[in-house]
Amino acid sequence: LGGTNFYPRLPCPGLPYGLDLKRFINCRFSMTYWQLAGLSFCYRSYTLHDNTLDYGLMFSAVSQYLYLFKFFLWEMGYMRSIDIIVDRAGFEIQWGCLVWVPAVYTLHSRFLVQHPSGLSFLAAAALFVLSMTGVVLNYLADRERDVFRASGGKCKVWGRRPKYITAEYEVIDRKTGETSMKKSLLLASGFWGVARHFQYFFELTAAWSWCLLANPFQNGVIPLFYCVFLTYLLIDRAERDSKKCRLKYGKYYDDYCNLVPYKILPGIY
């Protein structure tokens, strides 16, 4: 289920290193489908209900489209995520991207094709603003860390010199078996000083907003499945990342956790 290879490739004309199947399935198929599905559902709803625009579905589709636009803009950052560097390209993750993401991540939008939200323009617009706040802050948090890493810590974070831990870790060359020491900078300022994965809170803000745009108060709990699942997924991912980092950095990660004690939301988790 977990697979054996991290980055399986197929020979492909024009690509000297071949086609990266993991990246193709995760990004080109899975995320592209999600990005376009909402707009398709919005159009189908419009034609199905006598050319009546469902504001809940429209704002949800636009917000998700912009979220996925942000994803592709930041795609190289995704290449450093736990999905890519830790999870192998086995049945579990590939089935998830080929089946689970298209089915579940679009459920709240697809549901509205047959069951309109009934939300007013103002109510839907307010939830849209909330969702976009989550999308923008999620992007700013990821960008903040990228800029910090690119500058080697020689930048300002929220107008101040950043706090960080210089962590050393051991790397083993798979070909020669030789070991060497490398360094990483663990940012403990800005968004990353609030919680170790504060960006997950912003991602959940967007997800819950999309599901609320499906008006579960009228349409029942089915449209909430995605945001409930994502909440579990990100809590589990934060836990897995903590275990990975503690194994990799050892005492340095303990020092980092002393500076940033919470994983996602201060005072709660």
Side-chain angles (χ1 to χ4, degrees):
L1 289 178
T4 58
N5 295 326
F6 281 107
Y7 311 109
R9 296 177 182 273
L10 286 178
C12 184
L15 297 176
Y17 298 105
L19 177 66
D20 186 335
L21 287 176
K22 188 176 184 180
R23 185 173 184 178
F24 177 79
I25 293 173
N26 286 29
C27 302
R28 297 296 168 265
F29 178 85
S30 181
M31 296 302 179
T32 302
Y33 176 87
W34 182 11
Q35 184 178 36
L36 299 178
L39 300 180
S40 299
F41 296 148
C42 191
Y43 176 75
R44 179 54 181 150
S45 172
Y46 180 76
T47 59
L48 187 64
H49 300 287
D50 300 323
N51 296 339
T52 299
L53 186 62
D54 182 351
Y55 294 123
L57 179 52
M58 179 193 72
F59 279 120
S60 179
V62 171
S63 180
Q64 289 173 85
Y65 185 92
L66 294 174
Y67 170 79
L68 272 303
F69 176 83
K70 183 271 300 181
F71 170 84
F72 288 116
L73 186 67
W74 179 77
E75 187 173 339
M76 289 311 299
Y78 176 67
M79 294 300 106
R80 296 188 293 271
S81 72
I82 198 169
D83 288 354
I84 300 299
I85 63 176
V86 175
D87 295 337
R88 299 176 188 271
F91 174 83
E92 184 178 0
I93 189 171
Q94 301 312 315
W95 181 87
C97 291
L98 289 169
V99 180
W100 187 261
V101 170
V104 173
Y105 285 41
T106 65
L107 175 61
H108 47 285
S109 302
R110 189 171 67 253
F111 188 87
L112 288 178
V113 174
Q114 296 287 344
H115 310 278
S117 68
L119 293 176
S120 67
F121 178 86
L122 289 178
L127 287 170
F128 171 76
V129 170
L130 180 61
S131 70
M132 287 308 303
T133 300
V135 171
V136 170
L137 291 177
N138 177 263
Y139 170 75
L140 291 177
D142 287 328
R143 184 177 183 276
E144 181 179 81
R145 184 172 60 178
D146 284 347
V147 170
F148 168 78
R149 286 173 170 172
S151 67
K154 298 177 181 178
C155 64
K156 289 188 176 182
V157 176
W158 292 5
R160 299 179 180 180
R161 293 182 60 183
K163 296 179 181 178
Y164 60 88
I165 297 292
T166 302
E168 295 184 349
Y169 61 98
E170 189 177 76
V171 175
I172 301 176
D173 190 309
R174 293 184 179 180
K175 294 182 179 180
T176 65
E178 296 180 353
T179 61
S180 59
M181 298 302 295
K182 290 193 175 184
K183 293 182 179 181
S184 286
L185 304 182
L186 308 180
L187 179 59
S189 291
F191 293 112
W192 303 90
V194 177
R196 302 198 291 274
H197 293 285
F198 198 36
Q199 84 277 23
Y200 288 173
F201 174 72
F202 301 135
E203 192 164 345
L204 288 172
T205 298
W208 279 89
S209 299
W210 299 332
C211 292
L212 289 175
L213 279 164
N215 197 0
F217 303 102
Q218 171 183 293
N219 286 328
V221 298
I222 292 178
L224 294 176
F225 183 80
Y226 164 66
C227 58
V228 172
F229 164 75
L230 188 67
T231 301
Y232 164 77
L233 178 70
L234 294 184
I235 290 174
D236 176 70
R237 183 174 293 176
E239 184 64 30
R240 290 172 59 206
D241 186 68
S242 291
K243 292 178 180 178
K244 175 183 72 73
C245 290
R246 182 162 281 109
L247 184 64
K248 180 178 180 180
Y249 299 122
K251 64 178 183 179
Y252 299 106
Y253 191 69
D254 292 332
D255 294 339
Y256 174 65
C257 291
N258 289 333
L259 288 177
V260 190
Y262 292 100
K263 295 176 182 175
I264 297 178
L265 194 59
I268 297 178
Y269 179 73

